[in-house]
Amino acid sequence: MVLITISTDPDTAQASWARDSEFPFLFASDSGSVVGKAYGAFSVRGNLDNRNLFVVGPDGRIAYRAIPFREIDPTAYTELGAAINRLIPADSTGGN
């Protein structure tokens, strides 16, 4: 499983922030908002991508959406964890 965060921030700003905070995931820059527009996350009003979260399954399809992602709400992480667990085969987690 790979976690990628995508932001309209320049890649140099993201690299510095990721390095300083030692985040265990990849960062990608969407400075032209191409990805944001493709996923419906681009806001014309703010001219930037909204803070949304998508879980994309191994088949390339969106398996879960959090629009917007409520990063200060603990239930948002419970819902995210459940969505990810639905994509992981039981035998890969040590289950039956």
Side-chain angles (χ1 to χ4, degrees):
M1 183 173 305
V2 177
L3 176 62
I4 304 170
T5 179
I6 303 172
S7 169
T8 57
D9 294 331
D11 58 353
T12 52
Q14 289 188 42
S16 175
W17 182 52
R19 186 176 43 256
D20 292 347
S21 298
E22 299 181 5
F23 289 116
F25 44 84
L26 302 174
F27 283 77
S29 178
D30 185 26
S31 60
S33 296
V34 173
V35 176
K37 289 174 183 173
Y39 281 85
F42 180 73
S43 169
V44 176
R45 188 177 75 198
N47 200 32
L48 51 82
D49 294 344
N50 293 318
R51 188 166 287 169
N52 298 334
L53 185 139
F54 300 92
V55 174
V56 180
D59 60 359
R61 295 180 185 206
I62 296 174
Y64 175 78
R65 305 169 196 259
I67 302 173
F69 183 63
R70 306 171 322 273
E71 69 276 354
I72 61 171
D73 180 355
T75 61
Y77 297 92
T78 303
E79 293 167 2
L80 173 59
I84 291 169
N85 286 338
R86 285 192 296 272
L87 295 174
I88 300 172
D91 57 321
S92 71
T93 61
N96 295 336

